[in-house]
Amino acid sequence: MLISELSRRSGVPIATIKYYLREGLLPPGEATAATRAEYDDLHLGRLRLIRALVEVGNLPLAAIRRILGAVDNEDLDVHGLLGTAQYALGPKVDPPEDEEWQETSDQVDAFLADLGWRVTSFAPARKMLTQALVTLRRLGMPAGADQLRPYAGAAETLAREEIGRIDTSAPRSALVEGVVVGTVLYEPVLIALCRLAQEHQSALRFAPPRS
Amino acid sequence: MLISELSRRSGVPIATIKYYLREGLLPPGEATAATRAEYDDLHLGRLRLIRALVEVGNLPLAAIRRILGAVDNEDLDVHGLLGTAQYALGPKVDPPEDEEWQETSDQVDAFLADLGWRVTSFAPARKMLTQALVTLRRLGMPAGADQLRPYAGAAETLAREEIGRIDTSAPRSALVEGVVVGTVLYEPVLIALCRLAQEHQSALRFAPPRS
DNA sequence: AATATTAGAGAGTGTAGCTATCCAGTCAAG
DNA sequence: CTTGACTGGATAGCTACACTCTCTAATATT
């Protein structure tokens, strides 16, 4: 398949495909002549994956490149892949290591230890959580373990579900893609449902009942 | 307080504060002379709120402007405010209304109707959910009502919690700020906890037990 | 009087993600 | 064998965003 067909079948403009090739997100096609190259279904799948991560996951291309690198790294197991995917997602901020931050960070550590969760000390989600809590407190909102617990409970239930859904007997290529897609694309699903649920609950409490 | 003190107390550079003033995110200070203006604690609070929405919520300034407009609109009730906040958050994509999209959109409607959730037909989270599902399916992942249900259950529990936490006896200014902050800033908390839970579950299943 | 600071406005910066234009080489149709 | 559409590859340009810098005239502090 030539680039025009790849473009037609994926819905991605040729210029953008060329850009992804330049950026190393998409492996080059097999050159058959100086101005000719063949692409196959693997390219098509990869392209669809990239677009999914861009459009739904809102990931910057640099993060996608890291994730794809992990997908292509045969030496990485599922757990390692998941770590890489999460690391690529993680917040890009490195906050000031002041006292307020340190204190909250310690509380996060204590909270996770209390839950018995096994997470690495450098997991970006730790920073993400710490930053959110610091900010909430600075705004005068309550943000202690009591507020966190229901969220942690929900998170644990869903994580068990997701990890349980992984079919380890599938071929590696399908497996890793499933893990990445699941990690990145189920987040918007959860967020969307949370917002819808919030609107519903708000309607129940604050809006006049339907006529 | 002069702009330099506002800057010092908020940690936001003077140039950035001026930029926010120009962009209408921050109301102008009270001018005491041609080159002098006084700012007060309201400005400081507003500035902190803006930074929270930027840094933790990752909202574009245009969305923040809309949210602040809703906060300042005395005619808006809590339910309306929440709607505005969610609308400002919503995805910026307007997807191609092709057959695949329409079909999934109908399934989303059916799913929400089945849950008995009262949400407006134009809620941006509907689009967000539809897009995520379309994308998941295009990648060959299962994304039907069975997969959605656990997420919906968790979302409902958390939403009830959040809406229940709102103290309607508080003064309006505190109330609306609480709603906005809760809506926007608890999302990162949930996401972070989901990722941490996922890492933990993945470790339980795939990683060798701790020595 | 000398120095620093201020408000306000415009222009400039850097990053991200494309998009447009060129060019020489290639292919299929007539 | 010519014509015209298309190709890979390289380069430059574009738009949006969130600042950041520079300038000016007016003020304040010492």
Side-chain angles (χ1 to χ4, degrees):
Chain A
M1 153 182 20
L2 292 174
I3 203 173
S4 54
E5 192 180 349
L6 186 61
S7 166
R8 198 176 39 72
R9 289 224 270 164
S10 64
V12 179
I14 290 180
T16 305
I17 296 177
K18 286 183 175 184
Y19 171 65
Y20 290 164
L21 287 166
R22 274 202 303 284
E23 293 292 305
L25 294 175
L26 208 53
E30 195 178 345
T32 60
T35 63
R36 209 120 285 225
E38 270 291 311
Y39 302 91
D40 56 24
D41 285 339
L42 283 166
H43 289 94
L44 186 56
R46 177 57 58 99
L47 195 47
R48 280 205 254 257
L49 178 58
I50 294 171
R51 293 308 295 179
L53 298 180
V54 166
E55 289 171 4
V56 182
N58 270 316
L59 298 192
L61 296 191
I64 296 177
R65 188 169 21 233
R66 283 196 294 276
I67 290 179
L68 295 179
V71 165
D72 292 336
N73 180 356
E74 300 277 348
D75 296 337
L76 213 57
D77 62 359
V78 174
H79 189 56
L81 175 73
L82 204 135
T84 308
Q86 288 203 9
Y87 209 94
L89 287 170
K92 43 252 166 194
V93 291
D94 42 354
E97 298 277 348
D98 61 357
E99 196 187 324
E100 186 182 20
W101 207 87
Q102 191 55 54
E103 192 181 319
T104 308
S105 180
D106 291 344
Q107 286 168 12
V108 167
D109 292 349
F111 183 69
L112 294 179
D114 195 49
L115 288 169
W117 288 4
R118 255 176 82 186
V119 289
T120 59
S121 58
F122 51 85
R126 275 181 194 265
K127 275 194 186 174
M128 191 175 167
L129 180 55
T130 306
Q131 207 205 345
L133 295 182
V134 166
T135 306
L136 278 166
R137 284 177 191 169
R138 242 200 294 252
L139 291 169
M141 302 283 293
D146 287 342
Q147 278 75 43
L148 251 46
R149 242 181 296 275
Y151 293 89
E156 185 156 20
T157 306
L158 295 177
R160 210 178 342 245
E161 186 99 19
E162 277 173 29
I163 297 293
R165 209 167 30 226
I166 294 175
D167 173 15
T168 48
S169 70
R172 195 196 121 92
S173 59
L175 180 63
V176 296
E177 202 175 294
V179 169
V180 167
V181 168
T183 305
V184 177
L185 298 195
Y186 266 107
E187 270 179 21
V189 168
L190 176 59
I191 293 296
L193 284 168
C194 279
R195 293 193 191 156
L196 292 168
Q198 212 176 49
E199 182 176 338
H200 171 59
Q201 292 294 327
S202 163
L204 286 184
R205 179 158 172 207
F206 298 114
R210 239 188 305 230
S211 62
Chain B
M1 110 184 66
L2 291 174
I3 202 173
S4 54
E5 192 180 349
L6 186 61
S7 167
R8 197 176 41 70
R9 289 225 271 162
S10 64
V12 179
I14 291 180
T16 304
I17 296 176
K18 287 184 175 185
Y19 170 65
Y20 291 164
L21 287 166
R22 274 205 300 284
E23 293 293 305
L25 294 174
L26 208 55
E30 195 178 346
T32 59
T35 64
R36 210 118 286 227
E38 271 290 311
Y39 302 92
D40 55 25
D41 285 339
L42 283 166
H43 289 94
L44 185 56
R46 178 55 60 98
L47 194 47
R48 279 205 254 257
L49 178 57
I50 293 170
R51 294 308 296 179
L53 299 180
V54 165
E55 288 170 5
V56 183
N58 268 314
L59 298 192
L61 297 190
I64 296 177
R65 187 169 22 230
R66 282 195 295 276
I67 290 178
L68 295 179
V71 165
D72 292 336
N73 180 358
E74 300 278 346
D75 296 335
L76 213 56
D77 62 0
V78 173
H79 188 57
L81 175 73
L82 203 135
T84 307
Q86 288 204 8
Y87 210 95
L89 288 169
K92 44 250 166 195
V93 291
D94 42 353
E97 299 276 349
D98 61 357
E99 196 186 326
E100 186 182 21
W101 206 86
Q102 191 55 54
E103 193 181 320
T104 308
S105 179
D106 290 345
Q107 286 167 13
V108 166
D109 292 349
F111 183 69
L112 294 180
D114 194 48
L115 288 170
W117 287 4
R118 255 177 81 184
V119 290
T120 59
S121 56
F122 51 85
R126 275 181 195 265
K127 274 193 188 177
M128 191 175 167
L129 181 56
T130 305
Q131 208 205 344
L133 295 182
V134 166
T135 307
L136 279 166
R137 286 178 189 168
R138 241 199 295 251
L139 290 169
M141 303 282 293
D146 287 343
Q147 278 76 42
L148 251 47
R149 243 180 296 274
Y151 293 89
E156 185 156 21
T157 306
L158 296 177
R160 214 183 333 251
E161 187 99 18
E162 277 174 30
I163 297 294
R165 212 171 22 230
I166 295 175
D167 173 15
T168 48
S169 70
R172 194 197 123 93
S173 60
L175 179 63
V176 296
E177 201 174 294
V179 169
V180 167
V181 168
T183 304
V184 178
L185 297 194
Y186 265 108
E187 269 179 21
V189 168
L190 176 58
I191 292 296
L193 284 169
C194 279
R195 292 192 191 157
L196 292 168
Q198 212 176 48
E199 182 177 337
H200 171 58
Q201 292 295 329
S202 163
L204 286 184
R205 179 158 173 207
F206 298 114
R210 240 187 305 231
S211 62

